[in-house]
Amino acid sequence: MFLPSLRASSSKLPSAILSSRMISSTTRVMDKAPLRASAETPTPQDLLSKIGRNADTKLEAFSESWEKLNELWMRTVKLYDVGLSVKERRYLLWAFSRYSQGSAPSTFIRPPRPPKKFRGWGPKIQHGVRVRD
C-alpha cells in the first residue's frame, strides 16, 4: 500500500522555485572593465606607485599611457614576459581588478605580509627552546 501524498517529488514544488534555478555547464567569462584615470590617479604612473611593491619600476615600460597599461591588464600573458613572480602577478591582477571596478587605491592597497618569525614547529619550539609539550 503506497500513499501518493508521501512521495517526494520535485514536480510538487511551485513553478516559481523551479524556474529560478538555473544550472549551466559552461564557463562564464568575466568582462574586464578598462583602467581609466580617476581623481586619485590621473596617470598610470600614479596608479602603479600607489599599488606599491615596486610596480612602478617593474612596469615602467607600460606606465606611459592608459592604453599600454590596459593592454597589460587585458592580456595578462604579457606579465610573464616582464619577469614578475607569481605573488607579484597575482597581487597586480587583484589590484587592477579592484581599480577597474571603481574602487580607489587608497581603500584596498595593503602592505606585503611580513616574513614569519618562527619556522617549522610553530609555537612548540621557539629560538631552539621547547615551549610546549
Side-chain angles (χ1 to χ4, degrees):
M1 209 159 152
F2 182 70
L3 298 173
S5 62
L6 296 177
R7 186 175 48 161
S9 172
S10 62
S11 63
K12 297 198 184 270
L13 292 174
S15 62
I17 294 174
L18 290 175
S19 65
S20 65
R21 184 175 175 221
M22 299 179 74
I23 298 173
S24 175
S25 62
T26 61
T27 59
R28 198 177 115 197
V29 177
M30 239 175 80
D31 291 332
K32 292 183 178 181
L35 304 173
R36 295 188 195 105
S38 68
E40 192 174 340
T41 55
T43 64
Q45 185 67 27
D46 290 338
L47 174 64
L48 292 175
S49 63
K50 288 194 187 225
I51 285 176
R53 303 191 190 185
N54 295 328
D56 52 347
T57 58
K58 293 175 184 173
L59 300 175
E60 89 181 283
F62 296 97
S63 65
E64 298 168 2
S65 66
W66 287 107
E67 290 79 23
K68 286 191 176 188
L69 198 61
N70 276 322
E71 183 180 341
L72 184 70
W73 165 231
M74 297 295 178
R75 301 194 59 210
T76 58
V77 177
K78 294 188 176 195
L79 284 173
Y80 291 99
D81 301 334
V82 175
L84 300 173
S85 68
V86 174
K87 282 185 181 181
E88 292 169 338
R89 283 194 306 262
R90 290 182 69 195
Y91 178 74
L92 280 173
L93 291 175
W94 172 80
F96 285 163
S97 69
R98 292 293 304 263
Y99 183 75
S100 71
Q101 292 168 3
S103 300
S106 59
T107 60
F108 64 83
I109 297 301
R110 56 183 183 238
R113 214 178 251 176
K116 295 194 315 186
K117 294 184 180 177
F118 301 112
R119 297 177 20 211
W121 295 96
K124 192 174 185 181
I125 296 176
Q126 297 175 1
H127 299 295
V129 179
R130 183 177 291 275
V131 178
R132 294 183 186 168
D133 285 330

